[in-house]
Amino acid sequence: MAKVTAGVDLGGTKIQTVVLDGRKVVGAARVLTPQTGAPDVMAIIADTVKASLGQAGASLKDLGGVGIGTPGEIDSSAGAVSLAANVPGFTERVELGPKVSQSLGRIPVRIDNDVRVAILGEFRRGAGRPYRNFLGVFVGTGVGGGIVLEGKLREGRGAAGEIGHTVVKDGGRRCSCGRRGCLEAYAGRARMELRARQLVDQGKKTVLFDIMKRRGRDRLSSGIWYRALQKGDKMAKSLVDEAVWALGVALASAQNLLDLDAILVGGGLGDRLGQQFVDRIAKAMHPQLFVDSHPPAMLTTELGDLSGAVGAAVLARR
């Protein structure tokens, strides 16, 4: 067998791993992210790589490299990550690449920001292929972004594309990063859930947590938000409306600054709510666009929830 590559999409809710043989996904594994700290998270990452290899009929000796997309600030030369508030134990510096490499018999491991990696996947294998200048925004546990300019993924000094921490309301709702008024504070699932719990404590009614319990979950997944919206739940609708407003403000500002060809919206919530969600964001953006006669193309992902893992496998080949 020719050397295969593995890609890992590390999120606050789940870890998705794929194995690629050329351009084809030949193995995959998906597990919930452990909430018990960085060592357990890294151990599970190694386990999912091995499970994906097994599904592909391959072994560690067939593995040419591993890419990992992770939230947070990246030190790519050291394979380290920090400030990943949504992943347990990853707020402080974690030597992610070296530790996972050690668990896999010293296989080379490359890491980058999770959304930049997902954008790389969509740029090389998915919806972004026709465009040389586009922004990808992934709405999940948090909100992340990645920018392709003139056909190249922009990395900056390690934190380029972090649109989730652009400010949409000065002095607004507190974000997971500790600052106030960030886009993520209104459109990230974790902060939306926190706000929903606060409203319940104030006596407001919702089916969100009833659905969560019935489905055996301990947090409000994208599917739970979708089901609550389908049932006409007023709180879910109000909080998603706020997310659309905040995304409209942030993405219009990004468009006014960069004059992009396209903006892609993905992530757990973006993929689950789909084209209708993206169309609502486009409508919210339009009044704030400087060149409103020539808006960017608004895209959904082509790879869906495999964007990050496929992009990470592409990263491993770079």
Side-chain angles (χ1 to χ4, degrees), residues 16-40:
Q16 173 74 60
T17 300
V18 300
V19 168
L20 290 189
D21 184 357
R23 301 176 72 90
K24 184 180 180 182
V25 175
V26 292
R30 180 184 176 118
V31 298
L32 295 177
T33 304
Q35 302 299 301
T36 46
D40 289 342

Side-chain angles (χ1 to χ4, degrees), residues 263-316:
I263 296 178
L264 178 146
V265 179
L269 198 60
D271 287 335
R272 194 68 178 86
L273 299 186
Q275 189 64 54
Q276 185 180 31
F277 184 58
V278 176
D279 290 344
R280 291 188 63 202
I281 295 167
K283 186 176 180 181
M285 288 170 58
H286 196 264
Q288 302 180 72
L289 292 175
F290 178 63
V291 184
D292 59 5
S293 61
H294 190 51
M298 296 295 291
L299 311 173
T300 56
T301 62
E302 187 174 312
L303 299 171
D305 62 3
L306 292 184
S307 299
V310 169
V314 172
L315 174 71

Side-chain angles (χ1 to χ4, degrees), residues 149-265:
L149 296 176
E150 298 305 320
K152 294 183 179 180
L153 188 68
R154 170 71 178 166
E155 296 183 358
R157 295 176 295 174
E162 284 287 2
I163 195 166
H165 299 289
T166 58
V167 176
V168 296
K169 185 175 182 180
D170 187 29
R173 191 179 296 167
R174 188 171 295 280
C175 182
S176 60
C177 72
R179 299 170 180 85
R180 288 191 176 274
C182 296
L183 168 60
E184 184 172 299
Y186 296 90
R189 265 200 334 258
R191 305 312 284 185
M192 291 169 68
E193 177 173 340
L194 177 62
R195 182 58 179 159
R197 292 184 183 277
Q198 292 170 341
L199 291 170
V200 168
D201 289 343
Q202 295 170 17
K204 305 293 184 182
K205 302 295 185 184
T206 181
V207 300
L208 281 164
F209 299 103
D210 296 331
I211 297 172
M212 182 186 79
K213 290 175 184 175
R214 285 201 302 270
R215 299 190 66 79
R217 300 295 181 89
D218 60 359
R219 67 188 72 187
L220 298 181
S221 67
S222 298
I224 291 169
W225 284 98
Y226 175 79
R227 289 177 176 86
L229 290 172
Q230 293 298 104
K231 291 179 178 294
D233 185 75
K234 290 182 179 179
M235 185 186 296
K237 181 180 182 303
S238 175
L239 290 170
V240 171
D241 286 349
E242 285 188 331
V244 168
W245 158 78
L247 285 159
V249 170
L251 301 194
S253 296
Q255 179 64 20
N256 291 343
L257 179 66
L258 297 171
D259 192 19
L260 300 156
D261 302 324
I263 296 178
L264 178 146
V265 179

